[in-house]
Amino acid sequence: MGVFKSGNMVMQKKLVIFTPDMIKIAISDDHKVMTESLDTMLKQNGEFEVVAHSANIAECEAMLEQNADIDVLILDVGMPDGNSLDYVETWKDRYPEVRILVLSTYAEAAVINRALSCGSDGYVLKTCGKEELLEGIHSVMRGDQYVCKEAVAILEAHPQLDVVELTP
């Protein structure tokens, strides 16, 4: 943190230096306030660099194709042009180095199961806090599959449910 004097005021400014060790994040969510909030939170953390954004599936596909340096894609499920889970398996085949962490409002066991069975590296509900999201990012970066605590409880409460298809 740097300290700067301006007249009678002392201001502090956090300096962010991008290093090769920073985790490079892409965010795909159709809600601008969500994307902007995630971007700000991750940048303030100091260990992440947000390298790209997209607001729909078509933009997400182009973003993945054009950004070879993405480590983690934070992906919303419901998009204006469809269900992003329909594309996860293809994206994992094309971009195996990209970890896909689903961040969603869908708190149903069938949706969580589908996200994990189609190849997502993790599932975090949007009701979870910052620390759980950061834990999810770190887990998938280590090669582990991550499911937030609330989603685990949902899965445990409904072990008999099968994967379902969502309609946009």
Side-chain angles (χ1 to χ4, degrees):
M1 195 126 7
V3 178
F4 305 94
K5 284 193 172 185
S6 174
N8 293 333
M9 296 177 63
V10 175
M11 301 184 313
Q12 291 187 347
K13 183 174 182 177
K14 185 175 182 180
L15 302 175
V16 178
I17 300 169
F18 296 113
T19 67
D21 295 4
M22 293 185 84
I23 297 171
K24 293 173 178 56
I25 305 283
I27 302 168
S28 189
D29 194 300
D30 59 322
H31 296 97
K32 191 171 184 172
V33 71
M34 190 69 191
T35 302
E36 290 175 353
S37 298
L38 284 171
D39 187 286
T40 300
M41 178 191 73
L42 293 168
K43 285 178 179 175
Q44 286 177 346
N45 181 279
E47 61 183 313
F48 305 105
E49 178 184 0
V50 179
V51 297
H53 301 96
S54 65
N56 59 52
I57 292 167
E59 288 178 9
C60 188
E61 285 184 333
M63 176 180 71
L64 288 166
E65 187 174 312
Q66 295 168 6
N67 292 284
D69 58 348
I70 296 171
D71 294 316
V72 177
L73 169 62
I74 297 176
L75 181 66
D76 189 17
V77 173
M79 297 290 224
D81 52 348
N83 179 343
S84 65
L85 299 181
D86 294 338
Y87 299 85
V88 169
E89 189 172 355
T90 299
W91 292 340
K92 291 299 287 183
D93 286 342
R94 285 187 195 155
Y95 314 103
E97 70 284 353
V98 176
R99 282 79 163 189
I100 299 177
L101 182 62
V102 174
L103 180 63
S104 179
T105 59
Y106 288 106
E108 294 85 23
V111 177
I112 300 165
N113 277 331
R114 174 147 188 254
L116 298 173
S117 68
C118 71
S120 298
D121 297 289
Y123 197 95
V124 177
L125 289 164
K126 288 182 178 178
T127 54
C128 292
K130 170 185 170 182
E131 293 307 315
E132 250 188 304
L133 176 61
L134 297 179
E135 184 180 338
I137 294 169
H138 288 117
S139 291
V140 300
M141 280 300 298
R142 286 191 305 270
D144 298 331
Q145 191 172 59
Y146 182 83
V147 180
C148 71
K149 293 174 187 130
E150 187 179 344
V152 167
I154 292 166
L155 291 173
E156 288 174 345
H158 302 91
Q160 73 286 356
L161 287 181
D162 290 327
V163 173
V164 296
E165 295 294 319
L166 298 176
T167 54

